[in-house]
Amino acid sequence: MRKRGTDYKRLRERARRLIANDDRLLSELADMREAKHISLEIASRRIGITEAELEAIDGGTKDPTMGELRRYAHAVGAVIEHRVTDDEAGVVTDYSEPVVVTHECGQIEISSVQHDPSFGPIAQINMMSVRAQTKTLQVETTLV
């Protein structure tokens, strides 16, 4: 029996985003380990787990603890940054791949886009002005 007022579509979408964020984090750590030529043996020793456990983490079949993630990041020379957003506040943060915008002052990476979904999907983001001193980027969005 469906509870009144429960938006299961929104709950499924939130769960999908949470899983995608976890998968991206684990993939980035594994990619960094490989790019720095740190073997499973060395990384697992630094983390304090077995090679099989690290393989399972890299393969997505083991959910690492927060401590294991912290030690993994430390083992490969990375820092993990956390951010919590209120999914029920009406503003959605898009965690898709960062967007790089080229401007006369250089390249700027946009790591997230906040958008109120009640306005509809975004079709285009146009740069209006850049203030390099304050690291401010003003954009104009075109809706579909």
Side-chain angles (χ1 to χ4, degrees):
M1 182 169 150
R2 186 174 175 164
K3 288 186 180 180
R4 210 170 231 219
T6 303
D7 185 354
Y8 289 103
K9 183 177 179 182
R10 184 178 178 127
L11 293 175
R12 281 192 301 276
E13 175 60 24
R14 182 185 310 144
R16 186 198 63 73
R17 285 196 328 263
L18 288 166
I19 291 167
N21 290 342
D22 289 350
D23 290 347
R24 186 172 23 262
L25 171 65
L26 295 174
S27 177
E28 288 174 2
L29 286 170
D31 290 348
M32 187 175 287
R33 179 184 61 74
E34 291 172 3
K36 292 184 175 186
H37 305 288
I38 301 170
S39 69
L40 282 169
E41 178 187 1
I42 291 170
S44 62
R45 197 170 345 122
R46 290 177 182 175
I47 299 166
I49 60 176
T50 66
E51 285 183 56
E53 287 175 306
L54 183 53
E55 280 183 305
I57 290 170
D58 285 353
T61 59
K62 179 189 185 303
D63 278 336
T65 65
M66 292 293 286
E68 288 169 339
L69 285 174
R70 231 180 351 265
R71 292 190 305 272
Y72 195 168
H74 188 58
V76 299
V79 173
I80 298 172
E81 297 177 350
H82 304 273
R83 180 178 60 209
V84 177
T85 56
D86 185 352
D87 191 46
E88 296 177 358
V91 175
V92 175
T93 301
D94 177 12
Y95 293 100
S96 60
E97 294 298 315
V99 177
V100 176
V101 179
T102 303
H103 187 266
E104 60 195 41
C105 68
Q107 285 193 338
I108 300 164
E109 185 175 286
I110 302 171
S111 59
S112 67
V113 175
Q114 290 190 342
H115 172 63
D116 184 338
S118 65
F119 291 112
I122 296 175
Q124 183 177 343
I125 299 175
N126 299 315
M127 188 165 40
M128 294 170 59
S129 67
V130 177
R131 291 188 203 114
Q133 319 79 291
T134 58
K135 297 180 181 174
T136 301
L137 173 67
Q138 183 180 1
V139 297
E140 172 185 64
T141 58
T142 304
L143 303 177
V144 175

